């Protein structure tokens, strides 16, 4: 077997080191000069709405799409010039489950084990082991076509762990899952991190990035528009939002004046629904606002305190909405 | 979720270190294991979609009986005289029509999510193509065995005896496997399964019907004769006839083997190249 030693450790302190990544589809630039640095052992979240270019960017880093501009290194290994080496370092879990519909769960894991060079017996035991660890043993001999979304995702993740890759890509691991399954997936991801994996995950949900990621890059229309910890991002829009709907739309302006007086800042008006969105540095100030409104005889139909949504982070950073047609996370 | 570790391996629960030796290309032994793993997958698929066996069982039964009885009298004067001509012809034709399905199968397969995973794995780029081709040999075996058996049942007694027939059978299967690489390449180049199907038909018809598979070539007009003579399928047909009817390893057999090898040598690398590029 031909082998090449990996570069010295200094070059591999970064699990991912990409600069100026570009991908063009015809005249459309899906990824437009993204720089990304993921440190060893961290969970890095790439947050962005549908169509932002997350999958395209991951595909380039995973050698699935040629890189049209810029360069990327995985643990110091150049992606464009050494794809075979990079494939030995990265486990990929796709946005759309990349397992074989025609095979059972066990057969899928056995196949990937064999492809990765395991002897037959070892491929079998690794397959059974992983099914066990991902709570899929009962479904081992069922065809994937009958699997629920959550089961597919778990199997997909299990499949990408066969080679025990030091870096794992998770492309929207919980999109489309119900809240309970999403929580399970989060637990799984946390366990992986505890075992020393480095993870690059993409998501459309700020709270998912918040729950899992050490650092977050926000991308929009192929560009990176912000980067930081979850707290830093949220601080840029206020820590939470008080959403109010008024009984009488005509009170909107008057209510805004009251809020401005109490908090010293103007709320965002959403006149089409007769409401106000009020950024709160401190969630306790919500009570002050409500009391002041009662005193001014403005009556409220609904009130809710919410963590900032991706859309609000977006609005704050880019000045436009995220055009996100999928559901927001409450 | 259990409290066990998620990463497989009982000895070390941690991800593999990054500063281990990385192989720069798969070795031959690794490539073979990957190819057989992909073949294993295709065989599983095949037996779960039994319609893949329709063409290889029905076509030999129908075509052998039909061609022999319909054309037998007209072309050779009698059915018995026509058999030594037509059975090898149908063998070759069956080989091509059954291996044609490779292209459409592959194209449909490549559009599925699991191919993204195959691409992301450190495996030889030829394995996802060579695996299905290897598995497809099962279908060629069924088709050629049935064709010969139907011929025998209809009273054909190959002059080449058992070994001549065995050699002809093996050559047919090898030819099918080789020609399949043309269709595999089409599958990697074209965008839709329909396009692959259409193009494959366009290639298949002249190759089989403008050959000496069904008629002795000296009955053909000059221009057609010229094409029939350069058509590689004609060489396979003649080689199969030589083996089956005379049991002799003639120069034609050598040419057929050489031609088939050349097809693989040209189209396998082309297919791998376009597969590696295509997303
Ligand atoms: N193969 C492709 N051909 C043309 N356009 C594409 C292709 N893949 C993605 N796109 C476009 O690139 C943009 C980014 O897509 P994608 O990376 O899938 O976004 P995300 O994963 O963030 O939802 C989208 O506008 C999408 O329509
Ligand atoms: Mg995506």
């Amino acid at each position: 077997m031909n082998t090449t030693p990996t570069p010295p450790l200094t070059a591999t302190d970064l699990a991912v080191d990409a600069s100026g990544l570009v991908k063009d589809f015809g005249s459309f630039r899906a990824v437009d000069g993204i720089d990304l640095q993921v440190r060893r052992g961290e969970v890095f979240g790439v947050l962005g709405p549908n169509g932002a270019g997350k999958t395209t960017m991951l595909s380039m880093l995973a050698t699935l799409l040629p890189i049209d501009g810029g360069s990327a290194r995985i643990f110091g290994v150049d992606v464009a010039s050494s794809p075979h080496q990079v494939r030995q370092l990265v486990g990929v879990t796709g946005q759309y489950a990349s397992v074989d519909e025609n095979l059972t769960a066990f057969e899928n894991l056995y196949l990937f084990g064999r492809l990765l060079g395991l002897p037959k017996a070892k491929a079998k035991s690794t397959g059974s082991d992983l099914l066990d660890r991902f709570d899929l043993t009962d479904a081992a001999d069922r065809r994937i076509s009958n699997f629920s979304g959550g089961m597919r995702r778990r199997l997909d993740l299990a499949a990408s762990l066969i080679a025990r890759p030091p870096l794992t890509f998770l492309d929207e691991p919980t999109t489309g899952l119900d809240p309970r399954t999403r929580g399970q997936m989060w637990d799984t991801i946390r366990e992986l991190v505890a075992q020393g994996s480095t993870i690059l995950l993409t998501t459309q949900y700020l709270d998912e990035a918040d729950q899992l990621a050490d650092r977050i890059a926000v991308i929009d229309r192929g560009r990176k528009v912000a980067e930081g910890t979850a707290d830093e991002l949220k601080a840029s829009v206020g820590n939470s939002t008080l959403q109010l709907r008024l009984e009488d739309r005509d009170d909107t302006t008057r209510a805004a004046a009251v809020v401005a007086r109490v908090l010293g800042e103007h709320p965002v008006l959403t006149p089409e629904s007769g409401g106000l969105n009020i950024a709160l540095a401190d969630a306790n100030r919500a009570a002050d606002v409500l009391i002041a409104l009662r005193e001014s005889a403005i009556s409220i139909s609904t009130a809710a305190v919410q963590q900032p949504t991706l859309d609000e982070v977006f609005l704050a950073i880019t000045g436009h909405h995220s055009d996100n047609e999928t559901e927001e996370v409450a | 979720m259990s409290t066990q570790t998620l990463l497989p391996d009982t000895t070390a629960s941690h991800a593999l270190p990054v500063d281990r030796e990385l192989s720069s290309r798969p070795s031959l032994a690794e490539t073979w294991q990957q190819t057989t793993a992909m073949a294993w997958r295709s065989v599983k698929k095949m037996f779960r979609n039994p319609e893949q066996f329709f063409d290889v069982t029905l076509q030999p039964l129908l075509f052998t009986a039909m061609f022999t009885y319909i054309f037998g009298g007209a072309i050779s004067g009698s059915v018995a005289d026509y058999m030594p001509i037509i059975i090898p012809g149908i063998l070759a034709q069956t080989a091509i029509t059954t291996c044609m399905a490779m292209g459409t199968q592959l194209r449909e397969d490549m559009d599925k999510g699991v191919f993204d995973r195959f691409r992301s794995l450190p495996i030889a780029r030829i394995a996802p193509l060579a695996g299905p081709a290897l598995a497809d040999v099962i279908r060629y075996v069924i088709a050629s065995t049935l064709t010969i058996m139907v011929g025998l049942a209809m009273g054909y007694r190959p002059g080449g005896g058992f070994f001549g027939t065995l050699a002809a059978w093996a050559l047919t299967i090898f030819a099918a496997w080789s020609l399949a690489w043309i269709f595999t390449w089409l599958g990697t180049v074209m965008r839709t399964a329909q396009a692959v199907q259409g193009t494959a038909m366009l290639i298949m018809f002249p190759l089989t019907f403008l050959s000496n598979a069904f008629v002795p070539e000296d009955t053909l007009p000059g221009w057609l004769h010229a094409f029939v003579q350069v058509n590689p399928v004609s060489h396979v047909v003649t080689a199969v006839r030589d083996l089956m009817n005379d049991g002799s390893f003639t120069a034609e057999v050598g040419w057929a083997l050489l031609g088939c090898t050349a097809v693989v040598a040209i189209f396998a690398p082309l297919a791998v190249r376009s597969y590696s590029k295509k997303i």
Side-chain angles (χ1 to χ4, degrees):
Chain A
M1 185 163 55
N2 302 311
T3 56
T4 45
T6 44
L9 214 66
T10 45
T12 64
D13 281 341
L14 289 173
V16 177
D17 185 5
S19 64
L21 278 188
V22 169
K23 182 76 213 172
D24 292 314
F25 293 117
S27 61
F28 174 70
R29 185 153 283 197
V31 172
D32 190 3
I34 288 185
D35 299 327
L36 200 67
Q37 299 197 316
V38 179
R39 298 178 200 129
R40 266 186 191 211
E42 80 174 340
V43 181
F44 193 95
V46 172
L47 177 66
N50 218 349
K54 304 182 293 297
T55 300
T56 307
M57 187 190 76
L58 281 193
S59 300
M60 283 192 286
L61 295 175
T63 75
L64 295 175
L65 274 180
I67 296 173
D68 290 346
S71 67
R73 291 175 164 269
I74 304 289
F75 294 110
V77 181
D78 187 69
V79 175
S81 63
S82 310
H84 188 70
Q85 284 89 328
V86 167
R87 289 176 193 130
Q88 293 163 68
L89 295 167
V90 181
V92 182
T93 300
Q95 178 175 2
Y96 308 102
S98 37
V99 285
D100 196 325
E101 299 278 329
N102 293 289
L103 302 180
T104 66
F106 175 77
E107 287 167 348
N108 262 287
L109 297 181
Y110 175 75
L111 170 66
F112 297 127
R114 290 292 287 159
L115 286 174
L116 289 163
L118 300 183
K120 283 181 181 154
K122 179 82 178 154
K124 282 185 182 151
S125 64
T126 304
S128 312
D129 258 22
L130 278 167
L131 288 175
D132 193 29
R133 290 162 192 192
F134 280 85
D135 281 343
L136 288 168
T137 305
D138 294 341
D141 296 323
R142 275 164 51 194
R143 299 260 292 269
I144 310 299
S145 31
N146 311 318
F147 271 34
S148 69
M151 288 162 79
R152 271 173 209 244
R153 289 300 174 85
R154 292 212 300 279
L155 180 64
D156 203 4
L157 183 52
S160 56
L161 298 182
I162 292 173
R164 300 193 293 142
L167 173 63
T168 304
F169 292 168
L170 298 174
D171 197 8
E172 301 200 18
T174 68
T175 300
L177 298 187
D178 61 71
R180 197 179 71 92
T181 322
R182 171 173 296 168
Q184 286 175 350
M185 199 72 183
W186 286 357
D187 290 342
T188 306
I189 294 168
R190 286 193 190 99
E191 280 178 61
L192 271 181
V193 177
Q195 289 165 38
S197 291
T198 305
I199 291 185
L200 175 56
L201 85 102
T202 74
T203 179
Q204 300 188 20
Y205 310 124
L206 179 61
D207 76 328
E208 180 160 288
D210 189 6
Q211 288 280 335
L212 298 173
D214 302 313
R215 285 190 304 135
I216 299 169
V218 181
I219 69 168
D220 175 38
R221 298 175 188 177
R223 289 171 177 275
K224 185 166 82 178
V225 291
E227 184 170 340
T229 63
D231 286 340
E232 286 165 359
L233 290 180
K234 283 189 284 185
S236 67
V237 283
N239 278 331
S240 48
T241 311
L242 173 62
Q243 296 183 334
L244 296 179
R245 300 280 170 277
L246 305 179
E247 290 273 321
D248 185 352
R249 285 171 190 231
D250 298 339
D251 285 341
T252 313
T253 339
R254 214 152 55 81
V258 172
V259 171
R261 196 184 71 226
V262 176
L263 297 176
E265 263 185 74
H266 283 279
V268 177
L269 301 186
T270 52
E272 62 281 5
S273 55
L276 310 125
N277 285 350
I278 303 152
L280 297 171
D282 173 2
N284 290 316
R285 300 298 306 266
D288 300 344
V289 172
L290 294 178
I291 291 166
L293 289 173
R294 154 89 65 76
E295 284 167 354
S296 315
I298 295 169
S299 102
I300 293 161
S301 60
T302 63
V305 178
Q306 289 206 318
Q307 286 283 295
T309 61
L310 171 61
D311 197 43
E312 283 155 336
V313 172
F314 248 79
L315 192 57
I317 295 169
T318 65
H320 69 86
H321 287 273
S322 63
D323 307 322
N324 206 341
E325 64 268 60
T326 53
E327 87 273 39
E328 287 178 349
V329 178
Chain B
M1 188 71 48
S2 62
T3 53
Q4 293 166 298
T5 54
L6 291 171
L7 292 176
D9 205 292
T10 40
T11 49
S13 66
H14 288 273
L16 286 178
V18 294
D19 36 9
R20 70 184 194 272
E21 300 259 297
L22 299 177
S23 96
S24 57
R25 61 192 353 258
S27 70
L28 212 59
E30 286 167 333
T31 305
W32 175 247
Q33 173 167 340
Q34 291 150 9
T35 302
T36 53
M38 295 301 291
W40 175 84
R41 164 183 184 266
S42 297
V43 172
K44 287 269 169 203
K45 250 181 76 175
M46 210 182 272
F47 283 93
R48 277 169 200 170
N49 303 293
E51 64 274 12
Q52 288 197 39
F53 291 111
F54 287 176
D55 62 335
V56 294
T57 48
L58 288 182
Q59 188 177 315
L61 296 178
L62 285 178
F63 277 27
T64 315
M66 237 172 53
F67 276 99
T68 312
Y69 289 124
I70 293 174
F71 299 130
I75 294 173
S76 300
S78 80
V79 168
D81 289 343
Y82 188 44
M83 293 246 236
I85 297 172
I86 187 66
I87 302 291
I90 290 185
L91 265 179
Q93 194 226 11
T94 307
I96 296 180
T97 44
T98 50
C99 76
M100 224 175 71
M102 272 294 298
T104 27
Q105 290 275 336
L106 183 72
R107 182 63 264 167
E108 280 171 3
D109 217 13
M110 278 171 62
D111 291 333
K112 295 189 186 130
V114 70
F115 259 76
D116 276 345
R117 182 176 295 284
F118 294 149
R119 282 200 192 84
S120 78
L121 294 177
I123 59 174
R125 301 288 97 180
I126 197 173
L129 308 178
L134 189 59
D136 224 35
V137 168
I138 294 177
R139 296 173 66 250
Y140 314 150
V141 167
I142 295 175
S144 50
T145 308
L146 276 179
T147 305
I148 293 175
M149 293 207 330
V150 172
L152 292 176
M154 286 178 7
Y156 173 44
R157 296 290 171 265
F162 176 76
F163 289 105
T165 308
L166 191 69
W169 174 83
L171 175 62
T172 308
I173 293 165
F174 177 65
W177 175 81
S178 313
L179 295 173
W181 282 101
I182 302 179
F183 301 107
T184 297
W185 172 69
L186 277 184
T188 61
V189 173
M190 313 212 106
R191 285 185 172 276
T192 66
Q194 284 88 338
V196 177
Q197 172 82 12
T199 316
M201 284 294 198
L202 280 181
I203 296 176
M204 190 276 283
F205 274 113
L207 275 185
T208 55
F209 288 102
L210 301 185
S211 76
N212 60 357
F214 303 108
V215 293
E217 55 195 286
D218 41 14
T219 63
L220 300 171
W223 60 273
L224 202 52
H225 193 206
F227 180 83
V228 165
Q229 279 199 316
V230 297
N231 183 348
V233 173
S234 298
H235 292 284
V236 174
V237 171
T238 311
V240 170
R241 278 182 192 144
D242 289 350
L243 289 168
M244 265 188 123
N245 297 326
D246 309 329
S248 52
F249 195 97
T250 55
E252 268 317 302
V253 179
W255 283 119
L257 289 174
L258 195 70
C260 290
T261 311
V263 165
V264 179
I266 294 169
F267 286 96
L270 281 180
V272 171
R273 215 177 68 167
S274 107
Y275 167 76
S276 313
K277 270 197 221 151
K278 190 136 190 160
I279 300 303

